[in-house]
Amino acid sequence: MTTEQVLLGPKEKKILVRREAKSSQKYGSDPYLRSVEELIHYSIINVNKPKGPTSHQVSSYVQKILGIGKSGHSGTLDPKVTGVLPVALDRATRVVEALLKAGKEYVGIMHVHQEVPEVTLRKVLQQFVGRIKQLPPIKSSVKREWRFRNIYYFEILEIEGKEVLFRVGCQAGTYIRKLIHDMGQALETGANMAKLVRTKAGPFVLDDAWTLQDLTDALWLYKNEKNEKFIRKVLRPIEEGVSHLPKIWVLDSTVDSLCHGSSLGVPGIAKVEAEIQKKDVVAILTLKNELIGLGESGMISKEMVQLPKGIAVKMDKVFMERGTYPKMQKSD
């Protein structure tokens, strides 16, 4: 399995069909056909955070550039750390909560205070792969108590003297600076993090990230030259922010009740991704792949397509506006 699959799972997932159905073209729309004005108030920007400002400041800059009332970022980065910082816009802001729990990847430089044999270095650092116990640093946004975190992989890319270039994939909430400090203690040499770049946050990767200047330029081209091409690359549909979550597609007749906060019953399901487990956070979509909302599964995938009735998902967050799809009689 590739490092990407470790973080996000296989790209192609098996689909289980409960009922063959099509969505009416009278309601809703393909997420990639939304207007730019809609995207400005309902999308995600994969920002390439620069060194210097805090994550909150970067999110605020995005608001000012676009002239919107609110935004939210996923996963705080220290001012000195650069890289992937997904910023959700306006009505899409709450989707960052789903991204906060997604796996992260970083590339950085570890400075070991004394040179150690490469064999020893590799052996000790590999002891930190898997489930580790970590105490957050004194300056952190969470309560300072011991907690467990998963390190999916720690790859040494290059060693030059006391400098170790590494790539690490980890569970959300892992403090990389503290990880490097703990590794230094295990080596009995001491170590500190010299540089860090976040290369992945859930489904977002550094190769597809944009600078604040890119956003400014894209908006100028749209406003002054009526050229939408650049800004459409920068403003990504909210659906891309939940692409790492297991998915359930529902019938048109079910959409409106879900927009009002109703739980999803199995008769309203068209198809589901395989291997959904109870209590998984799942994304509920229309048959046009529009995000309706997020919820907690009450049964596994096979039960969702085989049982005649029952509550499949308890809705937690609703993103689609009421009235997007008409009220219809529930399917049997």
Side-chain angles (χ1 to χ4, degrees):
M1 185 174 286
T2 66
T3 55
E4 182 177 13
Q5 289 174 329
V6 169
L7 283 178
L8 307 177
K11 284 189 175 181
E12 293 187 12
K13 298 180 182 179
K14 184 179 179 181
I15 304 295
L16 305 179
V17 178
R18 179 183 175 88
R19 178 183 297 186
E20 294 288 354
K22 292 184 178 180
S23 181
S24 172
Q25 297 305 309
K26 296 179 181 179
Y27 321 114
S29 67
D30 183 315
Y32 292 93
L33 296 180
R34 291 179 185 134
S35 70
V36 171
E37 290 303 318
E38 285 180 289
L39 291 173
I40 288 174
H41 295 279
Y42 190 60
S43 65
I44 300 174
I45 302 175
N46 180 14
V47 177
N48 187 350
K49 178 191 171 297
K51 184 178 180 180
T54 66
S55 297
H56 179 74
Q57 286 172 325
V58 171
S59 181
S60 180
Y61 294 154
V62 169
Q63 285 184 48
K64 291 176 182 177
I65 292 169
L66 294 175
I68 58 177
K70 62 180 179 178
S71 62
H73 62 82
S74 171
T76 301
L77 292 176
D78 291 346
K80 293 182 179 180
V81 179
T82 64
V84 173
L85 183 71
V87 176
L89 310 179
D90 222 353
R91 288 198 302 111
T93 300
R94 289 179 302 149
V95 81
V96 297
E97 294 178 35
L99 287 165
L100 286 173
K101 298 177 182 179
K104 308 294 192 295
E105 182 187 83
Y106 301 85
V107 170
I109 297 175
M110 171 184 184
H111 175 73
V112 182
H113 298 167
Q114 297 177 31
E115 287 192 37
V116 294
E118 183 174 336
V119 173
T120 302
L121 180 70
R122 290 182 179 275
K123 182 178 180 181
V124 172
L125 299 192
Q126 280 305 302
Q127 294 174 4
F128 287 82
V129 175
R131 193 168 185 248
I132 67 165
K133 193 176 181 181
Q134 188 177 71
L135 182 66
I138 295 174
K139 293 183 178 180
S140 64
S141 59
V142 299
K143 185 177 180 181
R144 196 162 188 260
E145 58 185 9
W146 288 100
R147 56 185 188 168
F148 291 100
R149 283 295 179 268
N150 288 311
I151 306 300
Y152 305 125
Y153 50 88
F154 190 94
E155 302 170 355
I156 295 176
L157 304 177
E158 188 176 339
I159 301 173
E160 185 174 322
K162 299 178 184 178
E163 309 296 326
V164 181
L165 180 65
F166 66 86
R167 178 188 292 116
V168 59
C170 58
Q171 182 181 359
T174 304
Y175 287 89
I176 305 302
R177 193 182 301 276
K178 187 63 167 59
L179 176 67
I180 298 304
H181 171 79
D182 293 345
M183 287 176 167
Q185 287 191 321
L187 287 166
E188 299 182 351
T189 62
N192 65 278
M193 188 178 72
K195 187 173 182 179
L196 191 68
V197 179
R198 184 155 68 190
T199 50
K200 292 180 184 176
F204 296 100
V205 299
L206 187 59
D207 287 346
D208 297 326
W210 303 94
T211 66
L212 294 172
Q213 186 61 54
D214 289 331
L215 174 60
T216 302
D217 293 345
L219 185 65
W220 189 91
L221 285 171
Y222 167 64
K223 294 288 188 182
N224 295 279
E225 302 290 339
K226 308 303 178 186
N227 186 337
E228 298 184 356
K229 187 175 181 180
F230 192 3
I231 199 165
R232 283 189 174 278
K233 290 182 179 179
V234 179
L235 304 181
R236 308 308 299 168
I238 187 176
E239 287 76 10
E240 292 190 9
V242 298
S243 62
H244 61 295
L245 296 178
K247 300 169 189 63
I248 299 173
W249 292 265
V250 302
L251 305 171
D252 284 2
S253 57
T254 306
V255 176
D256 189 66
S257 64
L258 297 179
C259 290
H260 284 77
S262 297
S263 296
L264 173 61
V266 292
I269 293 174
K271 56 185 179 179
V272 305
E273 285 187 352
E275 299 184 13
I276 293 175
Q277 303 299 314
K278 289 184 179 180
K279 296 189 178 298
D280 277 355
V281 176
V282 296
I284 311 300
L285 307 173
T286 69
L287 290 171
K288 298 186 187 73
N289 291 312
E290 305 155 282
L291 177 65
I292 302 169
L294 306 177
E296 183 180 278
S297 59
M299 54 181 68
I300 64 174
S301 298
K302 286 185 178 180
E303 292 173 327
M304 292 181 190
V305 298
Q306 293 176 354
L307 293 180
K309 59 182 180 179
I311 300 299
V313 179
K314 182 179 179 181
M315 296 297 288
D316 179 34
K317 293 178 179 62
V318 175
F319 292 92
M320 181 172 282
E321 293 184 317
R322 296 176 180 181
T324 303
Y325 282 67
K327 292 182 180 180
M328 298 182 184
Q329 185 177 357
K330 291 185 178 181
S331 303
D332 305 318

